[in-house]
Amino acid sequence: MRKRIVLLALVSLCLAAPVFGQTASDFFNSGILHEIRLEIRPDEWTKLKNNYLDNTYYPVDFHWFYNGQEKFEPQVGIRSRGLGSRSAVKPGLRVDFDRYDTNNKFLGLKSFVLRNNTQDSSMLHERISMEFFRRMGLPAPRVAHTRLYVNDEYIGLYTIVEAIDKDFLKTNFAENDGYLYSYQYADTFQFDYRGADPAKYSPVPFKPETNESK
C-alpha cells in the first residue's frame, strides 16, 4: 500500500512539473521580447571588447529565458562579428553551440547571431525586411528581439538572427547538398560578367559555405 502511495505521489509530481519542450520556432518567436544571459570570465569579456576587430572565440555559459523557464547550455563559443557594425561598447556576437563539441546543438541549431544593430537606430529594418520576404514565400532568416545580459550586466537590446547554414537549407529546401555562398563586402559586385574563370567570382566576392572543396 505504501509503495502505491509513493508511486502515485511521484506520478502527480511529474504531471505537475512544467516540461521545457521548446523548439527553434519558439527561440525565433517575434511576438515576445526574449531574454538571453551569458556568463563569461570578466577578463575574457574585457579582452573581447578591447579586441573587437578580432574573430577570437571565448567560452560562455548560455541562458535563454522563455515563458518563465530557463534553457541552459554550457561551454558555448562566442566571438565579435560584423564589418561596420563592430563595437567595443556593444559588441555584435556570433554564438556557436558546436564550437567546443561538434555534435552539440541548441534546439536543433548550431549557431545564431546576436545583432547589435549599431547601424540601425530603429533596430527594425532587418526584422521587417525578413518578415516581408517570408510573407512573399521567399526563404529568409527568422529574427526576434532580446534583452542581453553579460555577467548580470544589461548590455542592451539585440536581435536574434537565424544563421544561413546547412540547417537553414534543410529547413527551407528539404536538402542541404547544394551550393551555399556568402557575399564578401570587400569586393563590390554589380552582377556584371567578369569572364568564364570561376576564380573571378569565388572565393571573392562569393565565399563557399558548402561544398568548399568543389
Side-chain angles (χ1 to χ4, degrees), residues 1-8:
M1 182 65 179
R2 182 179 297 176
K3 289 182 179 179
R4 291 176 62 188
I5 293 173
V6 172
L7 180 60
L8 287 171

Side-chain angles (χ1 to χ4, degrees), residues 144-159:
H145 281 84
T146 185
R147 293 184 293 251
L148 178 65
Y149 294 83
V150 176
N151 295 337
D152 294 326
E153 177 187 357
Y154 179 62
I155 304 302
L157 182 68
Y158 281 68
T159 44

Side-chain angles (χ1 to χ4, degrees), residues 87-118:
S87 169
V89 178
K90 186 186 180 186
L93 300 171
R94 176 183 171 91
V95 182
D96 285 349
F97 295 104
D98 63 346
R99 178 65 184 179
Y100 304 108
D101 180 356
T102 55
N103 295 317
N104 193 43
K105 286 190 176 185
F106 174 79
L107 305 177
L109 304 170
K110 292 192 298 184
S111 65
F112 76 97
V113 169
L114 278 168
R115 185 95 68 206
N116 57 8
N117 293 298
T118 56

